[in-house]
Amino acid sequence: CQWCLPVNHPQSPWSQEEIIEIMDVVDEKRDDFLLIAHNGKFDLLWTWVHFGIKWELDFDTMLAHFLLDENSRHGLKYLAQVFCGAPDWEVDLNTKQGAANTPLKKHCKYLAHDLYYTRKLRFTFLKMLKEDPEVKRVFDKIVMPCANLFVEVEYDGVLIDYKKLKKSNSKRCRSKRSS
């Protein structure tokens, strides 16, 4: 099952209160489904900031492809065209972002393509990862946990001890001058 919820589109059929209720229901059911995304860190951070809902990603197609071929391009549309024979569903930036002057149907059609091909790529890349158990283990045990951790780091930020930073920078500058 795939969902496309136009939560941030001005023509959304739901009020902000209804969207919050919908997101709460989805959050309650979160343990019952896999959360798959392409560059999911962006979506998870957005959901946490806008709805206060912290989810963990189960599979990121962009990160999976990076492990499979770090030298290739990793964009969703490119990968969908290469691995799924997808058409180019590119739209203008206003449509992507759901601007007020963009028809809701056009925005949702764009999002539906993203969802459909992300799901297809997950099956393709999972099969490819399973062909190399060591790479799959790195993906499962290191890459995905780190991806979820980076969402927290971006949300919380990182404390910096400015005194130690300044001291470190002055040491580094001195060592560069002496070499």
Side-chain angles (χ1 to χ4, degrees), residues 90-150:
E90 188 61 45
V91 294
D92 61 275
L93 186 60
N94 283 337
T95 299
K96 283 182 187 181
Q97 295 178 341
N101 61 346
T102 303
L104 177 63
K105 187 174 181 176
K106 189 174 179 182
H107 176 66
C108 287
K109 185 175 179 180
Y110 169 78
L111 295 176
H113 276 92
D114 277 5
L115 286 169
Y116 178 77
Y117 287 109
T118 298
R119 187 169 187 263
K120 283 192 75 140
L121 288 170
R122 186 255 179 183
F123 289 115
T124 300
F125 295 158
L126 181 58
K127 183 178 178 183
M128 293 169 73
L129 286 169
K130 285 180 178 179
E131 291 172 5
D132 189 337
E134 290 177 17
V135 174
K136 182 167 185 328
R137 187 176 189 291
V138 168
F139 180 76
D140 291 339
K141 301 294 184 184
I142 298 172
V143 172
M144 288 311 305
C146 284
N148 288 309
L149 177 64
F150 285 135

Side-chain angles (χ1 to χ4, degrees), residues 5-9 12-25 51 53:
L5 300 172
V7 298
N8 203 32
H9 195 284
S12 175
W14 304 293
S15 69
Q16 191 62 29
E17 293 78 28
E18 290 170 319
I19 290 170
I20 290 169
E21 287 177 25
I22 291 168
M23 293 300 286
D24 286 342
V25 170
F51 296 104
I53 297 173

Side-chain angles (χ1 to χ4, degrees), residues 27 50 54 62 72 81 89 134 140 151 155 167 175:
D27 187 43
H50 290 276
K54 182 182 173 216
M62 184 180 78
S72 183
Q81 289 171 337
W89 69 92
E134 290 177 17
D140 291 339
V151 173
Y155 183 84
K167 187 176 179 180
S175 68

